[in-house]
Amino acid sequence: MGDELLAERFEAHRGHLRAVAYRMLGSTAEAEDAVQEAWLRLSRAGDAGVGNLGGWLTTVVGRVCLDMLRSRRRRGEEPLSEVEQAPGAPDPEQDALLADSVGLALLVVLETLEPAERLAFVLHDMFAVPFDEIAPIVDRTPAAARQLASRARRRVQGAPLSPPEPDLTLQRQVVGAFLAAARLGDFEALVAVLDPDVVSRSDIPGVPVRHGAHEVARGARLSATLTGESALALVDGRVAIVYGRGTPDYRVLTFKVAGTRIREIDVHLSPTMEVHPLP
């Protein structure tokens, strides 16, 4: 089969594969890495003898995600090596819809599961993959794979879920109000959009953790005058602020929003996280 036709067949499954990978990994950037790896393997092997391409690709993505989760457990976060770009480009709007459809609360609970439990639960309970197909991915019998999913299901159902974060439209309004107030140096407007018990952390050397709306507002007003061009962006499915991209002072601010106020701010200096423009 020609490369163009193979790419077209792959594209027909991309949305499903990204949905599987995101629920496994909780990160749009890592999910895209997993999907790209699946494309790389397909482009090398071809689809000769593959009767069910969707099932074959789901199995490949499942194994890639399982390896990534196990790597996290052993060595902490460690990105995959760079691979050939799959046909098509990441879609920020689809990233936003994907993140919003899952919910932060469920992702937090999924993070507590063992890698094999998470895979069995996600593939079976969320995507109706039979245990006969899950078993080889986790190197267990179908009965053992069923037990993994059952154990994971009990943990998910019994875990206290924190309230979900606001949708992206509200996040954009709240973070946008923070950015506008910081640009203007409007102290009162900054305080109004911050939770009274807000906490701001930074990985910039010498910058302390700030507590409370007034202290965080003062820091935000000062930082806005020291950094370069700023813009809203999408980082791992959440609305963020990017300052001075492409400069030595490049930084990304990520937020935890509760209701209409900001509860937490994390400032990352020259991060490696993938940043998308908001649609």
Side-chain angles (χ1 to χ4, degrees):
M1 179 178 294
D3 291 344
E4 185 174 342
L5 183 55
L6 187 64
E8 289 179 1
R9 293 194 67 195
F10 179 83
E11 278 301 308
H13 299 283
R14 172 182 283 276
H16 167 75
L17 298 176
R18 292 182 73 222
V20 171
Y22 181 74
R23 285 159 176 78
M24 284 293 299
L25 301 169
S27 162
T28 55
E30 288 186 321
E32 189 63 34
D33 285 343
V35 173
Q36 288 176 351
E37 177 67 16
W39 163 248
L40 180 61
R41 295 185 186 185
L42 177 63
S43 63
R44 286 176 173 171
D47 63 350
V50 178
N52 179 358
L53 183 60
W56 187 89
L57 288 169
T58 299
T59 297
V60 170
V61 167
R63 285 175 173 155
V64 170
C65 291
L66 189 60
D67 288 343
M68 294 172 73
L69 289 173
R70 286 169 172 166
S71 179
R72 283 184 190 173
R73 293 293 177 107
R74 291 193 301 266
R75 300 184 294 273
E77 293 293 335
E78 188 171 296
L80 290 173
S81 58
E82 197 168 310
V83 297
E84 178 183 339
Q85 176 67 38
D91 184 336
E93 185 174 4
Q94 289 303 312
D95 285 345
L97 293 174
L98 190 61
D100 200 41
S101 70
V102 181
L104 178 63
L106 177 57
L107 289 178
V108 169
V109 176
L110 291 178
E111 286 292 339
T112 68
L113 303 178
E114 292 296 322
E117 290 178 341
R118 184 167 181 168
L119 183 138
F121 175 78
V122 167
L123 290 186
H124 182 266
D125 285 42
M126 294 184 174
F127 295 98
V129 177
F131 289 115
D132 286 348
E133 297 178 20
I134 296 173
I137 304 176
V138 293
D139 294 323
R140 286 175 172 76
T141 64
R146 183 186 297 274
Q147 290 178 348
L148 286 174
S150 178
R151 187 160 62 240
R153 193 179 306 117
R154 288 195 299 270
R155 293 178 65 180
V156 169
Q157 292 172 346
L161 297 181
S162 58
E165 290 203 58
D167 62 28
L168 283 172
T169 299
L170 183 54
Q171 284 187 44
R172 187 171 191 162
Q173 292 173 352
V174 173
V175 177
F178 175 91
L179 177 58
R183 284 171 172 166
L184 295 172
D186 188 336
F187 183 81
E188 295 301 324
L190 281 167
V191 170
V193 79
L194 296 171
D195 185 272
D197 297 320
V198 63
V199 177
S200 177
R201 310 176 189 87
S202 174
D203 58 16
I204 301 173
V207 176
V209 176
R210 293 186 169 94
H211 300 269
H214 287 79
E215 185 178 347
V216 171
R218 280 192 289 269
R221 187 169 60 173
L222 175 62
S223 297
T225 65
L226 299 177
T227 53
E229 184 178 351
S230 57
L232 297 180
L234 194 66
V235 176
D236 279 348
R238 300 191 202 175
V239 178
I241 296 175
V242 178
Y243 283 103
R245 193 168 189 179
T247 70
D249 287 330
Y250 166 50
R251 63 192 69 181
V252 172
L253 275 64
T254 57
F255 300 83
K256 181 175 182 181
V257 177
T260 58
R261 294 195 175 189
I262 295 169
R263 291 288 301 273
E264 296 179 18
I265 303 173
D266 287 286
V267 183
H268 311 271
L269 179 64
S270 299
T272 58
M273 60 182 62
E274 190 168 343
V275 176
H276 301 290
L278 277 174

